[in-house]
Amino acid sequence: MPDRSGAAREPAGAPTSWRIPLPHTNAAVPIARALIRTALADIDAPADSDTAELLTAELVANAVEHTAADQPIELVVELLEAGCQVEVHDRSPLPPGDLGTPGPDGEPDPWQEHGRGLLLIRTLSSACGHRPTAHGKAVWFTLPARPPLPEFP
């Protein structure tokens, strides 16, 4: 897991992380999108919520598609001073595919239905990867903080 030395930037008493169980159905994707958008909006998080929503949906869709239907999925959101980190936990120990830099033949075919989600995650996040957990794996991405808006007189 990446360095988490940054402190959260939200008001005192607000949570800095959430652990949310998701249903193991396709309904988990819109639920996760709504949860991440609400979590980031409610505390005025420094990260871009549109990108967080898109990448979260990709991770959850992959977890639903590539794990057994009776296994739990969990969404973990952590606010960092420098942005946010999102993880999706599932019970499969198998790696999610290549979240590193792809080789020359590693780019997905634009005409195929699958294969672009990990490319989106690699491209739009500041960092991403996966790690083993006690019960499977966590696939994660980190988004940087948005630059502050300029102040006009």
Side-chain angles (χ1 to χ4, degrees), residues 1 93-99 128-132 137-140:
M1 179 168 291
L94 299 176
D98 185 16
L99 281 171
C128 60
H130 67 281
R131 63 181 172 81
K137 71 176 172 300
V139 184
W140 58 269

Side-chain angles (χ1 to χ4, degrees), residues 114-125:
H114 300 285
R116 292 179 299 278
L118 295 179
L119 175 63
L120 282 172
I121 293 165
R122 282 193 316 262
T123 303
L124 298 176
S125 67

Side-chain angles (χ1 to χ4, degrees), residues 48-74:
D48 177 48
S49 62
D50 290 332
T51 303
E53 186 179 340
L54 172 65
L55 301 186
T56 299
E58 291 295 336
L59 289 185
V60 171
N62 284 348
V64 169
E65 182 176 346
H66 297 293
T67 61
D70 62 341
Q71 296 178 349
I73 297 172
E74 185 176 47

